[in-house]
Amino acid sequence: MKNATARLMAEFLGTFILVLFGAGVVLSGGDLGAIALANGFAILISVAAFRHISGAAFNPAVAIALWVTRRMPALDAISYVVAQLLGGLLAAFILKTAYGSYAQTVGVPTLAQPIAPGYGLLIETLTTFILMMVIMGTAIDGRSTFNGVAGIPIGFTVAAGILFSGPLTGGAMNPARWFGPAVASGQLTNFWIWIVGPIVGAILAAFIYDVVVKPKK
């Protein structure tokens, strides 16, 4: 991997910012709109700051989808996932330390009371599918009008996804966004929803974009 240290640090920092801001607003008592904006802005500024260094995945599901579609070598994808998980974990433990007894949940995404696990899985799959489709159409496909400012539509998509799915599943769309707070709080119930859903959604979006949506050269 060329420039491995810089690329992995960029992925670590981008995911750290996402969890610090996204989970931090939850702990501070922000409403749904504030949580959506915090996560969306975190992705927007991280993509702007680090995309030219690492490509700005900041999401294990995205890294895995890029590997499956042969856009990223396996070793790079594994390294990205590890860096992302560690970034989210550090942010969560900083929040837990800062908020003390108020940080029982550390902002971990959870299912709403009436939501069945299977429906939660569907929601995380669908929202991540939409997010990955936007990533493919703006950041990955160099012919996009928004390629140079891909962080804007991607950040808006994250915010919109949380406005929709936040009340249902917590709106993670990202295993690392769930992983750090879940480990820090010890809340691992239905863990597979926030791992399997985003990964399946991202892979499906990448394949469908390549086979069906992508404009011909």
Side-chain angles (χ1 to χ4, degrees):
M1 181 193 297
K2 281 188 175 182
N3 304 314
T5 301
R7 290 169 64 187
L8 295 179
M9 181 55 72
E11 289 297 310
F12 176 91
L13 289 174
T15 314
F16 175 86
I17 292 168
L18 171 64
V19 175
L20 187 73
F21 289 2
V25 171
V26 175
L27 288 174
S28 67
D31 61 13
L32 181 61
I35 294 168
L37 286 176
N39 282 271
F41 284 153
I43 287 296
L44 191 160
I45 62 177
S46 295
V47 172
F50 303 122
R51 185 180 168 212
H52 62 292
I53 299 172
S54 68
F58 311 138
N59 186 333
V62 172
I64 291 170
L66 294 178
W67 165 64
V68 170
T69 55
R70 299 183 180 182
R71 289 179 168 87
M72 181 180 289
L75 181 59
D76 288 16
I78 293 170
S79 300
Y80 271 37
V81 169
V82 171
Q84 292 156 1
L85 293 178
L86 289 176
L89 193 62
L90 178 60
F93 274 104
I94 288 176
L95 289 171
K96 184 176 181 180
T97 301
Y99 279 86
S101 60
Y102 293 99
Q104 293 181 358
T105 67
V106 199
V108 62
T110 55
L111 289 180
Q113 190 61 39
I115 302 301
Y119 185 67
L121 178 67
L122 176 63
I123 292 298
E124 284 293 318
T125 301
L126 285 174
T127 50
T128 311
F129 175 90
I130 294 168
L131 173 60
M132 188 66 192
M133 193 67 74
V134 173
I135 291 171
M136 295 294 293
T138 58
I140 305 300
D141 192 337
R143 293 166 292 181
S144 169
T145 304
F146 282 89
N147 185 260
V149 289
I152 296 175
I154 294 171
F156 284 177
T157 304
V158 169
I162 291 173
L163 288 173
F164 161 64
S165 64
L168 305 174
T169 66
M173 298 172 279
N174 183 336
R177 171 63 185 84
W178 169 85
F179 177 79
V183 171
S185 65
Q187 297 193 31
L188 305 175
T189 304
N190 293 319
F191 67 92
W192 48 275
I193 291 173
W194 297 277
I195 297 174
V196 176
I199 291 173
V200 171
I203 291 174
L204 284 174
F207 273 119
I208 290 175
Y209 188 89
D210 281 344
V211 175
V212 181
V213 178
K214 187 177 181 180
K216 296 185 182 297
K217 294 183 180 180

